[in-house]
Amino acid sequence: MDSEALKKYSALHPKPAGLTLHYGTAGFRTKAEQLDHVMFRMGLLAVLRSKAVESVIGIMVTASHNPEEDNGVKLVDPLGEMLHPSWEEYATQLANAEEHDLEAVISEICRAAAVEQHKDASVFIGRDTRPSSKKLSQSVIDGISVLGGQYHDYGLVTTPQLHYLVCCQNTRGQYGKATLEGYYEKLSTAFTALIKQCPSSGESPRHLKIDCANGIGALKLSEMKPYLPKEVLIELYNDGTKGKLNHLCGADYVKVHQKPPAGLDMKPHERCCSFDGDADRIVYYYKDAADRFHLIDGDKIATLISIFLQELLAKVDQTLEMAVVQTAYANGSSTRYLEETLQVPVHCVKTGVKHLHHKAQEFDVGVYFEANGHGTVLFSKAAEGKIRQLAKEEKDEKSRAAKVLEHTMDLINQTVGDAVSDMLVIEAILALKGLTVSQWDAIYTDLPNRLLKVQVADRRAIGTADAERRVVMPAGLQENIDALVQEYQLARAFVRPSGTEDVVRIYAEADTQENADALAHKVSLAVYHLAGGRGAPPQP
């Protein structure tokens, strides 16, 4: 390690006094002007991680669905997965180290993680369309260069594309070609093969309106358009030419406000969807004949995909086990439908994509989605081998079903939730099953629900267990919630501390919207009084 070069470059990326940041599920995220030193230091960390695992590591500069003035950074591990939890701790230490301690912290990480400094290091870099992203990715490059790492800057890419590129590189092309063209070709080839199986293929084109959140998704869908078959007509809205990133648009806005984005004109029964700012989440929606808005969130996306995969697996191999992974935020109706009607095992884990991804890896086929529209499907190596083998065999019903499964597997980005890939999977399934958007929506009816948050003095006052569905501290709060839930039909409620700020998030569902609202309010009062609420008590 060149101490002088480190000192010199570190001085060009000084840490603001008194700023402490924490690497969470979404990496680091805050106002863009506070991130220069963090970007430089994550360049350093990516080199150390690359040396430790002797593989390419990814760095994505994005703040996803946050406002345009924010930015963030997250590291991508060798198979396109999120950074290993033990290294999240190193990221936090390095980001918060004082300038004069930087070299000592790097040496300590090398010691703790058995990093051999003489090894080669290689990093892939990507960024979103925020005004601050280009300059911040340059700070990443400075950090990589100081420690002698190699890098490839892919420039503007969606977050899932960077995850895909890292995985392709480290599997030496087994997962695909580590280029954007390779990504477009792999997905479009699989999608075209599926669409060709449709009974009505070639009749009328399939229309889809896409709200791109004024983000990177618009650029990348425009690049991908020429690869897609003529049967599919996608129209892009909020494409970044005039609006602000994530402002009154995007998947998060549509999900939270339960209404269509600005800048997209909807006619009854038109299929529409929204990406978020870095294109790793997707939600669908439509208006019915009475002009009522209907949201189709991650729970219903997971259900549609599960129905489709279950039918194919039944024809191909009865022994392959499929399961769905959800969080406590999943609507009770979706869990009930999956378990009782489809008879698919459902597992509940803590909030955060890494927890869902980890659990889904335990099954032959693991479907996971958060209600916010972030999710994908994972196929075990054994399941993949079996499906590909059967697809090669003589043309009977089993091999035909295996072939459809194989194309579906190739269309899914198994590294991470990917709005582009998920959209094509959904479009293919709707076409193959001949379903309209309202028929899909009618599979089950969501229970009315309400999300609230309560400001508290210290979020650590709340402790949870059972995948965040039960409160273990403060004393008396869970008993209080249990008693409140008993007052309503089909009711459920839970509370959990935010991972980033001193607020407690509250979720309640019940048989009517009025009851869900009332239950959420009563639970928020219990949290306020028992867990150190700040400011005025919550109002109904």
Side-chain angles (χ1 to χ4, degrees):
M1 181 165 33
D2 184 339
S3 304
E4 283 313 306
L6 183 65
K7 273 202 188 83
K8 185 181 132 193
Y9 272 90
S10 179
L12 295 174
H13 304 283
K15 177 172 120 37
L19 179 68
T20 307
L21 294 169
H22 183 78
Y23 193 105
T25 304
F28 290 111
R29 235 178 245 186
T30 186
K31 292 275 169 276
E33 62 270 15
Q34 298 184 325
L35 281 168
D36 180 55
H37 71 294
V38 172
M39 297 295 174
F40 170 70
R41 294 168 181 206
M42 288 310 100
L44 303 172
L45 189 75
V47 170
L48 302 182
R49 180 69 178 152
S50 178
K51 288 175 191 266
V53 291
E54 299 184 37
S55 304
V56 173
I57 293 298
I59 286 200
M60 185 70 198
V61 177
T62 181
S64 188
H65 55 277
N66 280 36
E68 190 169 272
E69 6 340 311
D70 291 359
N71 217 320
V73 59
K74 45 189 168 186
L75 272 69
V76 178
D77 254 358
L79 293 177
E81 69 276 62
M82 295 182 152
L83 182 64
H84 192 276
S86 62
W87 279 72
E88 291 183 2
E89 197 41 57
Y90 302 148
T92 300
Q93 286 166 14
L94 198 55
N96 295 321
E98 293 308 328
E99 214 106 340
H100 52 82
D101 296 332
L102 202 54
E103 190 172 352
V105 172
I106 292 171
S107 299
E108 177 50 34
I109 291 170
C110 289
R111 193 197 59 74
V115 177
E116 296 181 43
Q117 293 266 21
H118 64 274
K119 292 260 167 77
D120 289 338
S122 182
V123 183
F124 283 2
I125 308 164
R127 65 175 192 269
D128 71 10
T129 54
R130 291 164 196 272
S132 58
S133 291
K134 191 167 182 9
K135 185 171 177 296
L136 290 173
S137 73
Q138 189 51 57
S139 306
V140 170
I141 290 170
D142 284 354
I144 296 167
S145 306
V146 165
L147 291 186
Q150 301 292 310
Y151 66 88
H152 183 109
D153 184 4
Y154 282 92
L156 293 163
V157 288
T158 70
T159 295
Q161 284 176 334
L162 187 75
H163 284 255
Y164 174 91
L165 293 162
V166 169
C167 180
C168 290
Q169 186 66 25
N170 287 317
T171 55
R172 297 190 169 64
Q174 262 182 296
Y175 193 64
K177 283 205 294 255
T179 62
L180 284 180
E181 293 70 38
Y183 171 91
Y184 298 139
E185 277 163 12
K186 182 180 176 183
L187 266 61
S188 59
T189 302
F191 179 69
T192 305
L194 286 172
I195 288 286
K196 279 207 178 107
Q197 313 273 333
C198 289
S200 61
S201 157
E203 280 175 24
S204 62
R206 299 181 59 78
H207 282 269
L208 177 67
K209 290 184 169 179
I210 308 170
D211 154 35
C212 299
N214 289 315
I216 185 71
L219 284 181
K220 299 297 134 183
L221 278 176
S222 301
E223 285 175 15
M224 192 174 188
K225 258 185 178 177
Y227 294 85
L228 294 173
K230 59 182 185 308
E231 289 91 344
V232 181
L233 282 182
I234 57 175
E235 289 176 62
L236 308 184
Y237 294 84
N238 298 318
D239 62 1
T241 47
K242 46 180 191 290
K244 248 177 108 170
L245 177 70
N246 294 325
H247 181 59
L248 304 179
C249 60
D252 201 56
Y253 173 84
V254 172
K255 166 82 179 147
V256 170
H257 296 278
Q258 307 262 335
K259 64 181 186 189
L264 189 148
D265 180 36
M266 290 168 74
K267 294 186 181 63
H269 297 293
E270 274 186 334
R271 259 193 341 284
C272 305
C273 67
S274 284
F275 289 8
D276 71 336
D278 65 339
D280 65 356
R281 293 184 186 185
I282 184 170
V283 294
Y284 269 70
Y285 44 93
Y286 69 98
K287 273 185 174 169
D288 62 23
D291 215 36
R292 269 194 306 261
F293 177 81
H294 294 253
L295 176 74
I296 300 179
D297 64 6
D299 299 336
K300 249 184 198 151
I301 293 171
T303 304
L304 177 74
I305 293 171
S306 301
I307 291 169
F308 180 69
L309 292 177
Q310 190 189 44
E311 288 170 2
L312 291 170
L313 289 167
K315 290 176 186 166
V316 169
D317 188 338
Q318 305 281 348
T319 64
L320 290 175
E321 185 200 2
M322 178 172 88
V324 176
V325 186
Q326 298 181 323
T327 71
Y329 285 110
N331 195 280
S333 291
S334 73
T335 314
R336 214 166 281 130
Y337 180 86
L338 288 163
E339 288 182 330
E340 293 170 16
T341 308
L342 279 191
Q343 306 211 314
V344 170
V346 177
H347 298 266
C348 184
V349 298
K350 278 165 65 170
T351 305
V353 179
K354 61 184 174 190
H355 302 299
L356 291 124
H357 193 91
H358 189 69
K359 186 70 183 174
Q361 287 173 322
E362 295 177 16
F363 309 100
D364 294 316
V365 182
V367 181
Y368 77 81
F369 269 84
E370 291 189 292
N372 64 26
H374 188 291
T376 188
V377 185
L378 306 183
F379 293 83
S380 70
K381 280 274 165 278
E384 184 175 335
K386 219 175 228 185
I387 291 163
R388 292 204 194 276
Q389 190 50 48
L390 285 166
K392 286 195 188 99
E393 290 173 12
E394 74 277 8
K395 295 282 175 274
D396 57 1
E397 192 186 14
K398 192 178 206 172
S399 80
R400 274 197 298 275
K403 200 90 194 119
V404 173
L405 259 178
E406 183 176 40
H407 295 317
T408 307
M409 213 157 50
D410 289 335
L411 183 51
I412 289 164
N413 184 346
Q414 293 185 52
T415 65
V416 72
D418 181 340
V420 175
S421 156
D422 290 339
M423 174 193 85
L424 293 173
V425 170
I426 292 162
E427 289 302 305
I429 295 173
L430 293 176
L432 284 163
K433 294 185 71 64
L435 285 174
T436 65
V437 67
S438 46
Q439 286 169 323
W440 171 21
D441 187 30
I443 290 172
Y444 63 81
T445 305
D446 276 324
L447 280 168
N449 56 80
R450 177 62 62 208
L451 283 160
L452 294 176
K453 55 185 183 183
V454 175
Q455 299 276 343
V456 290
D458 183 358
R459 64 181 183 271
R460 288 169 299 192
I462 295 256
T464 65
D466 186 23
E468 302 177 315
R469 290 177 289 189
R470 310 278 303 164
V471 175
V472 288
M473 57 183 232
L477 181 55
Q478 186 58 53
E479 291 75 7
N480 225 296
I481 294 169
D482 289 341
L484 293 169
V485 166
Q486 291 303 313
E487 297 174 17
Y488 301 96
Q489 298 294 308
L490 300 174
R492 179 172 77 93
F494 69 91
V495 306
R496 55 177 283 271
S498 160
T500 52
E501 50 186 333
D502 284 323
V503 300
V504 174
R505 302 190 189 284
I506 288 149
Y507 178 90
E509 61 185 33
D511 56 342
T512 67
Q513 190 62 58
E514 199 181 351
N515 287 345
D517 291 348
L519 176 58
H521 175 63
K522 288 178 182 174
V523 171
S524 72
L525 282 173
V527 169
Y528 178 84
H529 290 301
L530 293 171
R534 276 175 53 196
Q539 296 304 308

